[in-house]
Amino acid sequence: MTDVPALPVRPWLDATRPVEERIDLLMAEMTLAEKVGQTHQVANIDPDADADAIAAGRISSSLYASGPTGGNERDEGVLVGNIDAAQRHAVERSRLGIPLLFGRDVIHGHRTVCPIPLGIAASFDPYIAEQIGEVAAREAVVDGVAWTFTPMVDISEEPRWGRVAESLGETPVLSGRLAAGLVRGFQGDDPSEPDRLAACAKHFAGYGLAAGGRDYDTVSVGENTLRNLHLRPFKAAVDAGVMTVMAAFNDVDGTPMHAHEHLIRGVLKGEWGFDGMVVADWNGVGQLVNAGVAADLREAAALAIRAGVDLDMCGGAYLAHLEELVRSGEVELGLVDDAVRRVLRLKFRLGLFERPYAARPGASNAPTPESRAVALRAAQAAHVLVQNDGVLPLDPSAGSVLLSGAFVDEGEALLGTWTLDGRGEDVARPGAALRERLGDRLTVADGRFSDVTLQQARRADTSVLLLGEHPSRSGEAQSVTDIRLPHGQLDVLRAVAGLGKPLVAVVYTGRPLDLSEVLDLADAVLVVWHPGVEAGTALASVLLGDVEPHGRLPMTFPLSTGHIPTSTHQRPTGRLIRADVDHEEGRYIDALTYPRLPFGLGLSYTEVDYAAPTASSSVLSPDGSVTLTVTVTNTGKRPCREVVQLYFRDPVAEVTRPLVELTDWALVDLEPGQAREVTFDVQAEQFAYAGRDLTTRIDEGDIILLTGPDSARLQSVTITMKKDS
Ligand code: GLC
């Protein structure tokens, strides 16, 4: 009787053991080759062609994306069958049975696509962000996705940069809180639960400062500005438990981020204690050669592993060179072990060893009424009314309406950039949604403007003109030199406005645009971003007043391209902005300077009065708090959801500090005539900043607190920070 060979003992499979113990047990068994294999990620793994590499433990992860700038390229989608076939090679044929990790850019929805992240930011609502993450995770796991590459928390004041569409706005606090909401939504309290994914804060760091708004271009910034602006939302995501962080393509002051040991290994992993996994961006390791800091892939691999990049996305440098680099002594084994430990920690925490296979026979991830309800609420909350002379809301019971413009026939385009799995046929279109409400009082013009359109506009009581940019102009590798509307649209606007009829302009966009002429010619202007599957329903509900518009601008809209950068990052300078004549000011001799639409702006269908803020004490101690109170009153005839904003200014500090910086806000529902006292619990650490020596400090001295409906309409009260109070 021959003994049945005992199954290899794999104590790391014992899920009752602590994760760190399981990692120790597994790593003790791993060869150097197997360790290096865990640092290698491929794109679109092929269960047949890659079978032997998988079984040999040479592949750790695969992402599913249509290419290195996958934001706007559709692909054939994710095939769960492929994923499980590949997984079977890893789990059942490899020596150690380490499962593969599958990632995909599920950025603002999977099948139920919600507004682009800049639109999510316009909601100023972290709970909406959390719901979006939950719905997206629930749908993506059905396609075998275990890891998503979101939230993107790059801070930018550069509308020319196409990737502002994926960002959560220009301010650290807004971006950080919404990112934390998305992380909670995707990961939940226990990311090993079946309907959860690992999230990824990206792109670490400073990517939003690419020179000229040119994607991938160089970044010149000091560490003080990085710490006081750009690193903060990453810290918020890390504090929220984000499991992975992605390195950015750009350099920071000459050091490419994929080789930036100080910021990755020093700040992110060291100072912040991040114990998650750092993934390269697409061949970001290999691109160190292009950047001219590595002579070849071997040197690139050495630089990146020393910097603290744990997983080489779609590059191959680690697989090709790490083993030899360690054997030659040029790279310490400990650096590879740190990377492998983090990769395995992610896989253990995701429950991949217990539940490696994705297939759920009969499961569907098609949009449901519940998931669409989340998308609708998010789209409505993203609608920002930036001008209204009273033409809105439209009277649902009277008047004829012409719907025309570049987007009148669009479906898939309303999903926005980075919607790999969204489907055009799922989109509720504006025409159909308005038709449901207006019947034959609605005329939907042909998308191609002609004299017929003009005659239709002349006959209609009101025109709703759908303007803006196609999502192929936003997202990765889609930077522009001119933020005016795409060619031809202003001509259409002028023609329709020339009829002298009430005109509502609806702007679809992935970035702040130069809307000067739109604002001059239209009676009402709604900025709606790319709102997702419920685009039409959301628009109809806001236009007809079923829902009060309550979105706020998450980025400043400059007067023109020439005015970029313009944002709330503005700091005081030695030469003050002179008020010349009638509030004109002198930064340019050929134009005004101030933004056309300020950060935080958003109107409702009523009026809200803000009283001056009051503080419960004029003194704030480092461990104490002050209650700031502002009474807001709905003086109009319609309800509203007001976004009461709190900014601050530190007038005297070790370094120049922003003229206004958002530090808190409150979403407040007000019935007509209702007044509410809104209180903010103000803590000293809200005013902490990196000083000249880059250490975090809180100064004694005055802090000016400012409240209002946006960053340009503020009232202030001054408190004093005292250490010994
Ligand atoms: C892209 C993007 C990154 C994305 C990754 C995977 O190049 O920069 O945001 O998550 O590759 O598709």
Side-chain angles (χ1 to χ4, degrees), residues 218-235:
T218 55
V219 167
S220 301
V221 65
E223 188 168 336
N224 186 271
T225 300
L226 274 182
R227 285 177 177 270
N228 285 331
L229 261 181
H230 302 272
L231 298 186
R232 289 170 55 196
F234 285 95
K235 183 66 168 54

Side-chain angles (χ1 to χ4, degrees), residues 63 65 67-70 105 149 163 166 202-203 207 246 249 281-282 313 418 476:
L63 71 80
T69 58
D105 293 280
F149 305 113
R163 302 202 75 164
E166 307 165 56
K202 70 186 186 183
H203 306 79
Y207 193 7
M246 184 183 294
F249 283 128
D281 200 340
W282 197 293
M313 179 190 283
W418 283 111
E476 184 172 356

Side-chain angles (χ1 to χ4, degrees), residues 636-648:
K637 297 183 174 52
R638 294 183 64 100
C640 70
R641 163 159 291 192
E642 189 67 6
V643 181
V644 181
Q645 298 161 45
L646 172 61
Y647 297 81
F648 80 94

Side-chain angles (χ1 to χ4, degrees), residues 437-521:
R437 299 295 310 282
L438 298 173
D440 57 13
R441 284 188 287 115
L442 174 74
T443 302
V444 179
D446 182 297
R448 290 179 303 281
F449 186 80
S450 68
D451 282 342
V452 171
T453 319
L454 211 51
Q455 289 156 24
Q456 290 171 322
R458 202 150 45 92
R459 286 196 295 271
D461 294 321
T462 305
S463 266
V464 176
L465 188 55
L466 306 182
L467 301 166
E469 55 174 16
H470 190 274
S472 59
R473 270 171 51 110
S474 63
E476 184 172 356
Q478 307 297 343
S479 298
V480 295
T481 60
D482 187 339
I483 60 169
R484 284 177 296 185
L485 284 171
H487 298 299
Q489 291 190 22
L490 285 176
D491 289 339
V492 170
L493 171 70
R494 290 173 194 135
V496 176
L499 298 171
K501 292 287 195 70
L503 170 57
V504 177
V506 177
V507 182
Y508 293 98
T509 184
R511 58 165 50 89
L513 294 173
D514 168 359
L515 295 182
S516 300
E517 194 163 351
V518 180
L519 291 157
D520 292 345
L521 296 178

